[in-house]
């Protein structure tokens, strides 16, 4: 008993020392995170809160933002067919961009994941090369290609295929094309990461059991790469649904999307409450889409596990 009593102070001292060490570790972590947290809070979260509050304020063209509270900004958007059509166009462009990007990116990611060494680094660099160029420059590059006197129309007219220029610029087609060019690398990298994590023995086992290449792809490879497809889809959809530069340059006022509408209301009409409401509806749309994507992915993974 005396020995146990003698060791108790030592044990309590060790426990206190461990608690101090754990506290110091946690304190060090928070001190390292503090600069980033402060930047996030003051330059993102605080302005976002102010904009959210502003979205419930009244507006007068003569006096500006009022002091009264109202839901009219949200009601105006949700009950006006024109604004709802802009919302639908934004979602449609984002969905088409995401779907086409998946179709184009998957074969590229598959081929890059199969090669090794310098060739793989070179191909990855080619995929990433558009990110080294400003989005504005890339968009104006498409303007040169798609305009009435651009490369495509001049070539087709010189060959005698068409008699007058095709309307390619300032259309939904041009916006989707520009968005695919901008967001293509993100999808390739995420799918490539999932492909590289697949055990080659799983593919060989499927082939040894007599499965065709198509059956192996749809039953083995595609389910195993769903996390990469999901991550890339969320990234591409979120960036495309909120993109401003590419739709503004390639679509212009003829193809208005939510981001362009927000800019028009805040910078041109100076209606900050209504512009803030449109912006938060866009954020809400992105959040709902991410939730739906996660539900679909969880259901797909559950189905694969059952099989």
């Amino acid at each position: 008993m005396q020995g146990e009593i003698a060791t108790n102070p030592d044990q309590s001292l060790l426990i206190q020392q461990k608690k101090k060490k754990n506290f110091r570790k946690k304190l060090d972590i928070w001190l390292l995170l503090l600069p980033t947290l402060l930047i996030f809070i003051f330059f993102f979260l605080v302005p976002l809160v102010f904009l959210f509050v502003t979205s419930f304020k009244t507006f007068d063209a003569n006096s500006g933002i009022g002091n009264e509270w109202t839901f009219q900004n949200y009601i105006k958007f949700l009950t006006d067919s024109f604004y709802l059509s802009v919302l639908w166009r934004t979602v449609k462009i984002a969905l088409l961009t995401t779907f086409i990007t998946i179709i184009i990116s998957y074969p590229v990611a598959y081929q890059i994941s199969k090669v090794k060494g310098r060739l793989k680094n070179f191909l990855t660099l080619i995929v990433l090369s558009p990110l080294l160029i400003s989005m504005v420059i890339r968009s104006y590059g498409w303007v040169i290609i798609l305009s009435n006197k651009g490369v495509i129309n001049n070539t087709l007219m010189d060959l005698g295929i068409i008699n007058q220029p095709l309307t390619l610029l300032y259309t939904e087609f041009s916006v989707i094309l520009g968005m695919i060019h901008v967001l293509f690398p993100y999808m390739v990298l995420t799918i490539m990461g999932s492909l590289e994590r697949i055990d080659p023995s799983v593919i060989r086992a499927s082939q040894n059991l007599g499965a065709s290449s198509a059956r192996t792809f749809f039953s083995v490879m595609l389910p195993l790469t769903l996390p990469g497809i999901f991550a890339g889809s969320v990234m591409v959809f979120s960036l495309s649904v909120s993109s401003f530069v590419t739709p503004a340059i390639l679509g212009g006022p003829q193809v208005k999307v939510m981001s362009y509408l927000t800019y028009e209301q805040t910078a041109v009409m100076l209606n900050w409450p209504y512009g803030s409401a449109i912006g938060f509806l866009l954020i809400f749309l992105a959040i709902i889409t991410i939730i739906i994507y996660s539900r679909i992915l969880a259901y797909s993974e559950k189905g694969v596990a059952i099989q």
Side-chain angles (χ1 to χ4, degrees):
M1 293 293 293
Q2 291 179 355
E4 291 180 359
I5 294 171
T7 56
N8 283 335
D10 295 334
Q11 290 178 352
S12 61
L13 182 62
L14 289 173
I15 292 172
Q16 290 178 358
Q17 289 177 350
K18 287 182 179 179
K19 288 182 178 180
K20 287 181 179 180
K21 287 182 179 179
N22 292 331
F23 176 76
R24 287 175 181 175
K25 287 181 180 179
K26 292 180 180 180
L27 183 62
D28 291 339
I29 292 172
W30 281 107
L31 287 175
L32 290 172
L33 290 174
L34 185 60
T36 305
L37 287 174
L38 290 176
I39 292 173
F40 176 79
I41 291 172
F42 286 106
F43 293 100
F44 179 77
L45 192 59
V46 172
L48 207 60
V49 171
F50 276 109
L51 283 176
F52 182 71
V53 172
T54 304
S55 68
F56 292 98
K57 294 289 187 176
T58 58
F59 174 78
D60 184 80
N62 296 320
S63 58
I65 301 174
N67 295 321
E68 299 178 0
W69 298 91
T70 180
F71 288 97
Q72 189 60 37
N73 295 318
Y74 291 95
I75 296 173
K76 177 183 177 181
F77 185 93
L78 296 174
T79 57
D80 194 307
S81 59
F82 169 75
Y83 295 118
L84 291 177
S85 66
V86 174
L87 175 63
W88 165 241
R89 183 185 297 118
T90 304
V91 175
K92 180 175 66 173
I93 289 174
L95 289 174
L96 287 174
T97 300
T98 304
F99 178 74
I100 297 172
T101 305
I102 293 173
I103 300 300
I104 297 174
S105 301
Y106 205 105
V108 177
Y110 176 73
Q111 293 299 327
I112 295 177
S113 64
K114 287 177 63 178
V115 300
K116 296 181 180 179
R118 293 183 177 180
L119 180 58
K120 183 175 183 177
N121 295 333
F122 177 72
L123 293 175
T124 305
L125 181 62
I126 292 176
V127 172
L128 293 175
S129 59
L131 299 178
L132 303 176
I133 305 172
S134 170
M135 191 180 296
V136 176
I137 296 175
R138 279 180 285 172
S139 299
Y140 276 112
W142 282 110
V143 171
I144 296 172
I145 295 173
L146 300 174
S147 63
N148 290 341
K149 294 183 179 181
V151 176
I152 294 178
N153 279 314
N154 283 341
T155 302
L156 293 177
M157 292 180 70
D158 291 339
L159 294 174
I161 298 176
I162 57 175
N163 296 323
Q164 57 183 4
L166 300 174
T167 304
L168 301 176
L169 192 60
Y170 305 124
T171 61
E172 291 184 9
F173 165 77
S174 62
V175 174
I176 293 172
L177 190 61
M179 295 299 299
I180 292 172
H181 180 213
V182 170
L183 302 174
F184 170 76
Y186 299 102
M187 185 69 75
V188 172
L189 291 178
T190 52
I191 295 177
M192 191 170 67
S194 294
L195 287 168
E196 290 176 345
R197 285 192 293 269
I198 297 177
D199 189 351
S201 62
V202 177
I203 306 299
R204 289 195 297 268
S206 176
Q207 294 171 347
N208 292 336
L209 291 172
S212 63
S213 299
R215 180 66 182 274
T216 300
F217 173 76
F218 287 105
S219 300
V220 180
M221 290 186 62
L222 186 60
L224 291 176
T225 54
L226 279 178
I229 295 174
F230 164 73
S233 299
V234 170
M235 191 179 302
V236 170
F237 183 88
S238 300
L239 291 173
S240 58
V241 81
S242 59
S243 179
F244 170 74
V245 174
T246 302
I249 295 175
L250 298 179
Q254 292 86 343
V255 186
K256 285 186 178 180
V257 293
M258 292 282 285
S259 57
Y260 188 90
L261 199 61
T262 304
Y263 161 78
E264 191 177 56
Q265 291 295 324
T266 55
V268 179
M269 306 297 295
L270 300 180
N271 191 345
W272 277 69
Y274 191 51
S276 301
I278 296 173
F280 274 95
L281 286 172
L282 188 59
I283 294 172
F284 179 75
L285 173 65
I287 293 173
I288 291 297
T289 305
I290 292 172
I291 293 173
I292 294 173
Y293 265 118
S294 61
R295 295 285 184 177
I296 294 173
L297 179 65
Y299 179 77
S300 301
E301 289 180 343
K302 187 183 295 184
V304 171
I306 293 173
Q307 292 176 357

